[in-house]
Amino acid sequence: MRSLAGAFAASALLTGISCVQAAAQEVPYLDDRSSAASLVESFYNAVNRKEFARAWDYFGDEKPAADPDAFAAGYADTAGVEVYTGAVASEGAAGSTFYHLPVAILAAQTDGSEKVLAGCYVVRLVNPSVQEPPFRPMHIEKGSLSPSDLAFDEALPESCPDAPPPDETDAVLEEARTMFLDLHADCEPGPDGSGPGEDQYTIPFRYSTDADEEPEREARLFRFYCGAGAYNENHVYYQYDETDGLREVSFAVPELDIRYVDDNVEGAVDSIGIIGYTTEATLVNSFYDEATQTITSANKWRGVGDASDSGTWIFRNGRFTLVRYDVDASYDGEINPEPVLDFHTAP
């Protein structure tokens, strides 16, 4: 898994070390203790943002330096860090779960050089059901990193020494989650605040060129939460199949030309025309219906919902196709959308 921490490292390498302080401020805040990997990524996010008190606090009783000042001084020559995390292995002992996490680190130095390090972190979670106040969240128990002669993308250890076999993981889901976090770092965490809220679905399908006797193919669909306002919630979708791999879903959306009587947007609608099409990565108030294999969206233009647009995209031939789009452009207090595009309703 590639961490969000890499956003700063890449920026520093591309724009120059002179931009270190500005780039550090631009790194989106990440504080996620929901898994060993997200905890280590949050640690390096704190390092990249120069928030060393937060980074220090991700460790448990056994700290990585004599005191916080010595800890911060250890990163004085570090411009930014990118981290890869591998397959975690977990084991229970003494009322705790210990997670062994392989990591590879690319550290950009303030003098323009780079260092590659590899090793393991041990993360600990004391059983929450037996804890008494004050509660101790998941924390880094210890870390062991050594310089590596390998390239960054080759340095990740397959496993940690003296660790049990790696846990079974959903590699596609992890890749989708990482891709979403890298491309949409401005999205807010899921409703529970622990990370990107997600839903996943399996879609059986055939291409039009497949014979009826051939087995059905299978696609996977992932919906990620991307923040909400007072009355709208945003989502981003990713699709995986064996032919095209994992990619972000882009949705065709009509570009509208809306005319009002006397140019009064609070008055009656004169006409609605389609003057082209664009694509959107984010849908508003969207849902996937497994029975009909459709994604629908319903975007309220204001809270009462009297003005809105909505779309329907159907999954066919391995992709989502826009088949209907409705618009209610009048702010009249009435909910009365009309289709401006309809290839989905029988005549």
Side-chain angles (χ1 to χ4, degrees), residues 263-346:
D263 292 329
N264 178 16
V265 295
E266 298 293 332
V269 175
D270 183 37
S271 64
I272 303 176
I274 297 176
I275 57 175
Y277 291 85
T278 61
T279 58
E280 297 287 345
T282 303
L283 294 183
V284 181
N285 299 329
S286 67
F287 297 92
Y288 174 69
D289 186 319
E290 294 182 273
T292 60
Q293 294 189 339
T294 58
I295 292 176
T296 56
S297 71
N299 178 24
K300 295 181 180 180
W301 295 3
R302 67 178 182 179
V304 295
D306 59 339
S308 65
D309 61 73
S310 60
T312 301
W313 295 263
I314 191 169
F315 189 83
R316 62 188 182 201
N317 209 33
R319 67 183 63 188
F320 283 96
T321 301
L322 175 66
V323 293
R324 179 167 175 139
Y325 207 82
D326 294 84
V327 177
D328 183 352
S330 59
Y331 297 86
D332 57 2
E334 301 291 333
I335 299 176
N336 46 12
E338 296 183 1
V340 296
L341 177 154
D342 189 359
F343 299 112
H344 195 45
T345 305

Side-chain angles (χ1 to χ4, degrees), residues 17 20 50 52 72-80 107-113 115:
I17 301 303
V20 167
K50 310 301 180 185
F52 296 114
Y75 291 96
D77 297 328
T78 302
Q109 305 299 105
T110 54
D111 62 4
S113 63
K115 293 181 180 179

Side-chain angles (χ1 to χ4, degrees), residues 2-345:
R2 186 172 182 170
S3 166
L4 270 174
F8 170 59
S11 177
L13 294 174
L14 291 173
T15 61
I17 301 303
S18 62
C19 298
V20 167
Q21 295 300 326
Q25 296 173 357
E26 295 171 0
V27 176
Y29 180 83
L30 177 67
D31 182 14
D32 184 353
R33 295 179 186 248
S34 62
S35 69
S38 61
L39 174 60
V40 171
E41 291 165 6
S42 297
F43 167 73
Y44 283 107
N45 174 268
V47 169
N48 283 337
R49 288 170 57 93
K50 310 301 180 185
E51 297 167 354
F52 296 114
R54 178 163 69 96
W56 171 267
D57 196 54
Y58 284 121
F59 283 85
D61 294 335
E62 187 176 336
K63 299 297 186 181
D67 54 60
D69 290 338
F71 171 73
Y75 291 96
D77 297 328
T78 302
V81 181
E82 188 166 0
V83 57
Y84 275 119
T85 59
V88 68
S90 61
E91 59 181 345
S96 298
T97 303
F98 293 87
Y99 302 91
H100 303 263
L101 183 70
V103 297
I105 303 296
L106 176 65
Q109 305 299 105
T110 54
D111 62 4
S113 63
E114 297 176 9
K115 293 181 180 179
V116 176
L117 301 96
C120 287
Y121 279 94
V122 177
V123 172
R124 181 182 183 184
L125 175 62
V126 180
N127 187 345
S129 65
V130 301
Q131 290 196 48
E132 296 181 357
F135 176 74
R136 296 182 61 194
M138 182 181 289
H139 61 270
I140 299 173
E141 189 78 355
K142 61 181 179 180
S144 177
L145 301 177
S146 301
S148 175
D149 295 329
L150 299 175
F152 178 43
D153 58 359
E154 300 174 347
L156 182 68
E158 292 186 5
S159 61
C160 294
D162 302 322
D167 301 340
E168 291 188 7
T169 59
D170 188 336
V172 176
L173 173 59
E174 291 299 322
E175 185 180 358
R177 184 183 290 124
T178 301
M179 187 180 296
F180 167 73
L181 290 172
D182 281 344
L183 296 177
H184 297 278
D186 56 334
C187 287
E188 299 173 4
D192 63 358
S194 64
E198 70 227 4
D199 300 288
Q200 56 179 307
Y201 310 90
T202 300
I203 309 176
F205 75 100
R206 286 191 174 93
Y207 290 117
S208 59
T209 54
D210 291 344
D212 291 341
E213 62 271 15
E214 293 185 73
E216 283 189 319
R217 301 175 185 268
E218 185 176 277
R220 298 185 64 185
L221 181 68
F222 306 95
R223 185 186 79 154
F224 291 95
Y225 174 89
C226 187
Y231 41 84
N232 285 324
E233 184 173 292
N234 302 312
H235 305 104
V236 177
Y237 288 81
Y238 287 83
Q239 178 185 328
Y240 172 84
D241 57 67
E242 292 185 352
T243 302
D244 296 317
L246 181 68
R247 70 274 191 194
E248 186 171 275
V249 181
S250 294
F251 296 92
V253 177
E255 186 176 354
L256 303 175
D257 178 26
I258 302 174
R259 304 293 178 93
Y260 294 89
V261 175
D262 298 327
D263 292 329
N264 178 16
V265 295
E266 298 293 332
V269 175
D270 183 37
S271 64
I272 303 176
I274 297 176
I275 57 175
Y277 291 85
T278 61
T279 58
E280 297 287 345
T282 303
L283 294 183
V284 181
N285 299 329
S286 67
F287 297 92
Y288 174 69
D289 186 319
E290 294 182 273
T292 60
Q293 294 189 339
T294 58
I295 292 176
T296 56
S297 71
N299 178 24
K300 295 181 180 180
W301 295 3
R302 67 178 182 179
V304 295
D306 59 339
S308 65
D309 61 73
S310 60
T312 301
W313 295 263
I314 191 169
F315 189 83
R316 62 188 182 201
N317 209 33
R319 67 183 63 188
F320 283 96
T321 301
L322 175 66
V323 293
R324 179 167 175 139
Y325 207 82
D326 294 84
V327 177
D328 183 352
S330 59
Y331 297 86
D332 57 2
E334 301 291 333
I335 299 176
N336 46 12
E338 296 183 1
V340 296
L341 177 154
D342 189 359
F343 299 112
H344 195 45
T345 305

